[in-house]
Amino acid sequence: AQDALPSDKQFPQAEIVTLECVFKNNYKNKILFVHFSSGLTTSFAKGLPIPTSEKYRVNRTAPSREIEEKVASKPTRIELPEYECQRPTLLQHHNHRLTDALETLERFYQYLDHKQGDTRALAFRQASCVLKAFPKPVENIDDVAHLHRIGRHSKQVIEEVLTMGFSTEVEDCKKSDWFKCMELFTLVYGCGPATADHWYKKGLRSIED
């Protein structure tokens, strides 16, 4: 600013410009708010310094207050560690209704996919563990949609439970005779999914059978 004016028309050092900067770091995004005194623009237009007055004085509190209100109005998003070993998996937590539904599907697909691997069962187990570590009740799918290990299928189940109070997929699993028998037979010591499925295909339906 000093260099832009003739040498005989210099601003006092303290009145060159009033600049207020507020930095807000939000992970990869950096937002910079800059407020320039309009007096500097007027001075350049006239070609000489103008007297400092209330017209050109920067309100130092209003911009900061406005920025703070905007930041405060944004909902805070809860983040959890990416890896399971970095977060607690609590027995007493806030989301039993959701974890019960996911764990039912975990067992169903563990029985169903025992010959091909537990990929789908593992996905539901991981999503359930994330919800157990969540520090408050989940009220909306947006609360947890960004979290690592909660996949598309798990999100569908969670959203359905939140909106309807139950998951149609989970209810269908619970009504399945095959699933009921698998749940019963795997209670027997040494009986895994393969043996339980073999017993079911032989026509066995109870422990007495």
Side-chain angles (χ1 to χ4, degrees):
Q2 293 280 18
D3 295 340
L5 294 171
S7 58
D8 60 337
K9 297 178 180 178
Q10 296 291 299
F11 281 109
Q13 187 65 30
E15 296 182 4
I16 293 177
V17 65
T18 303
L19 175 65
E20 179 173 320
C21 300
V22 178
F23 289 91
K24 176 178 176 291
N25 288 310
N26 183 8
Y27 299 98
K28 297 181 180 179
N29 299 322
K30 181 177 288 185
I31 305 171
L32 171 62
F33 300 92
V34 182
H35 188 99
F36 285 99
S37 170
S38 59
L40 181 64
T41 307
T42 306
S43 297
F44 279 126
K46 293 185 176 182
L48 74 164
I50 62 172
T52 302
S53 66
E54 291 299 324
K55 177 181 178 181
Y56 300 112
R57 192 179 301 278
V58 175
N59 186 334
R60 294 180 177 274
T61 57
S64 298
R65 189 183 304 114
E66 181 181 353
I67 293 166
E68 290 174 359
E69 290 175 356
K70 287 182 179 180
V71 173
S73 65
K74 294 182 179 179
T76 55
R77 196 167 75 166
I78 297 176
E79 300 288 347
L80 293 176
E82 179 177 351
Y83 300 104
E84 294 180 23
C85 60
Q86 297 176 310
R87 60 177 182 261
T89 301
L90 306 175
L91 294 177
Q92 300 299 324
H93 54 88
H94 301 283
N95 296 289
H96 283 283
R97 184 176 55 161
L98 300 177
T99 58
D100 289 348
L102 293 174
E103 288 172 359
T104 298
L105 293 177
E106 174 197 343
R107 296 194 305 275
F108 178 85
Y109 285 107
Q110 190 174 24
Y111 302 148
L112 186 64
D113 299 338
H114 67 274
K115 294 181 179 179
Q116 291 81 28
D118 297 335
T119 304
R120 287 190 288 184
L122 179 60
F124 287 116
R125 183 186 311 163
Q126 291 172 335
S128 176
C129 290
V130 171
L131 294 179
K132 289 178 181 179
F134 203 70
K136 67 174 188 176
V138 177
E139 299 176 354
N140 189 287
I141 187 60
D142 293 334
D143 294 343
V144 295
H146 64 285
L147 294 176
H148 190 61
R149 299 299 184 188
I150 297 186
R152 179 181 56 82
H153 197 165
S154 296
K155 290 176 186 176
Q156 292 174 351
V157 175
I158 293 170
E159 187 169 20
E160 197 171 12
V161 173
L162 290 174
T163 55
M164 300 173 56
F166 63 92
S167 166
T168 54
E169 184 179 6
V170 173
E171 294 304 312
D172 289 343
C173 289
K174 290 180 178 179
K175 294 176 183 177
S176 166
D177 288 337
W178 175 81
F179 180 70
K180 292 177 182 178
C181 288
M182 295 294 286
E183 290 275 80
L184 177 64
F185 293 159
T186 52
L187 294 176
V188 177
Y189 179 78
C191 178
T195 302
D197 187 52
H198 176 69
W199 288 350
Y200 179 83
K201 289 177 179 177
K202 287 182 64 175
L204 308 182
R205 295 294 183 267
S206 67
I207 298 298
E208 289 75 13
D209 293 341

